[in-house]
Amino acid sequence: MKRTIILAAALALLFGYAATVLATVTIVPLDQLEPTREQRQATLIIIRVIDKYHYKHLPLNDEASALIFDRYLESLDPNRSYFTARDIERFSIYRDQLDNALLQARLTPAFDMFRVYRQRVEERIAYAMDLLEQKFDFSIDEDYQFNRTDAAWPSDRNELDDIWRKRVKNDILTLRLNGKSAEEINKTLRRRYQGVKRRTEQLASNDIFQTFINAYTLSLERSEERRVGKEGK
């Protein structure tokens, strides 16, 4: 299965990733986040090679589409701290369509989802920066769920706000316990949150393509593991 992941990475590099290595990292305008002809060509090659030489018993169908969909969401927002349940519902039109999209080299669904993700990151970071200007009551006993990998998607923006309020409060408290001054805490967290936003805004078309293709190949790996597990019983 590792061969599939290596194959995808190699083909991605072949069709343009090398050109980005020497480029200056800058903020990528949102309207430039579109799939390219080279990426569509690479997608068709990857699909054909995998189908011909590796995984004929793992058809690219609606079941596979759902696995790819979940894996791609996991790649974008693994801690479920940016998307809301409403976003996921909006994306659900793609759940059983990614198989056909891949077969036809239509990468628009992946890019549509990423653009929403980037907007959500920008919104969350702006909210976190605003929270740094507020005072927190640390006498209130409340829980902060650090690992949200298996948590439900936040139902709406209000729930997401509360998650981020607790996150910022926890970040401040952690630094206070480490002996940092109020000024140092503010400076450290502003730099940290701005770094998240900056790194997200620097992700270009090739990065989105690689993430989506990796979601496809890794979904194959999971399917293979399940198949072998069933055969072993």
Side-chain angles (χ1 to χ4, degrees):
M1 186 61 66
K2 298 296 184 183
R3 292 175 298 174
T4 305
I5 300 173
I6 294 173
L7 169 66
L11 286 172
L13 286 168
L14 177 63
F15 287 94
Y17 281 84
T20 68
V21 174
L22 298 178
T24 301
V25 178
T26 57
I27 303 302
V28 180
L30 204 60
D31 58 8
Q32 289 186 14
L33 297 179
E34 296 287 347
T36 66
R37 181 183 64 179
E38 290 77 14
Q39 290 163 2
R40 289 190 288 270
Q41 292 173 339
T43 299
L44 292 175
I45 293 173
I46 291 169
I47 298 298
R48 290 169 184 168
V49 171
I50 289 176
D51 178 67
K52 183 174 182 180
Y53 295 107
H54 294 273
Y55 305 108
K56 288 183 177 295
H57 58 278
L58 297 173
L60 196 51
N61 53 22
D62 288 355
E63 181 180 354
S65 177
L67 291 174
I68 298 167
F69 178 84
D70 290 339
R71 179 68 189 183
Y72 187 53
L73 282 177
E74 181 182 332
S75 299
L76 294 178
D77 189 6
N79 211 40
R80 303 193 174 193
S81 299
Y82 296 101
F83 288 135
T84 66
R86 292 179 182 177
D87 290 324
I88 305 306
E89 182 179 0
R90 171 184 170 185
F91 298 150
S92 65
I93 60 172
Y94 298 135
R95 176 171 286 277
D96 60 357
Q97 294 183 9
L98 295 181
D99 54 326
N100 293 325
L102 281 165
L103 289 169
Q104 297 167 18
R106 289 188 291 105
L107 301 172
T108 301
F111 280 75
D112 286 346
M113 293 168 70
F114 180 84
R115 281 192 292 269
V116 174
Y117 167 70
R118 175 166 149 174
Q119 291 171 346
R120 296 294 177 264
V121 170
E122 292 171 350
E123 292 167 0
R124 288 300 99 203
I125 297 307
Y127 181 67
M129 300 292 273
D130 287 342
L131 287 173
L132 290 176
E133 299 301 319
Q134 302 178 20
K135 292 185 178 180
F136 288 90
D137 185 352
F138 292 98
S139 66
I140 299 175
D141 186 16
E142 55 184 353
D143 295 325
Y144 168 61
Q145 185 176 358
F146 182 80
N147 186 347
R148 291 184 44 80
T149 303
D150 297 320
W153 292 101
S155 58
D156 54 28
R157 184 165 183 166
N158 289 334
E159 185 176 347
L160 204 51
D161 282 350
D162 193 54
I163 291 170
W164 275 81
R165 179 188 63 80
K166 291 179 179 178
R167 173 175 175 171
V168 173
K169 182 179 180 180
N170 180 75
D171 288 346
I172 293 173
L173 181 59
T174 299
L175 292 175
R176 283 181 61 178
L177 293 174
N178 287 331
K180 300 293 184 180
S181 68
E183 182 179 353
E184 289 174 321
I185 291 172
N186 191 282
K187 182 177 180 180
T188 298
L189 293 182
R190 283 187 175 278
R191 184 168 58 246
R192 180 185 302 175
Y193 300 152
Q194 288 172 342
V196 172
K197 179 175 180 286
R198 182 181 63 255
R199 288 190 294 273
T200 303
E201 291 177 337
Q202 288 173 344
L203 294 174
S205 177
N206 280 340
D207 299 303
I208 302 169
F209 172 68
Q210 183 179 28
T211 301
F212 182 56
I213 292 300
N214 283 346
Y216 165 51
T217 56
L218 289 172
S219 70
L220 286 177
E221 184 174 350
R222 290 186 177 182
S223 295
E224 175 75 355
E225 289 172 352
R226 292 177 184 176
R227 184 187 68 83
V228 173
K230 289 180 180 179
E231 291 180 353
K233 291 183 179 179

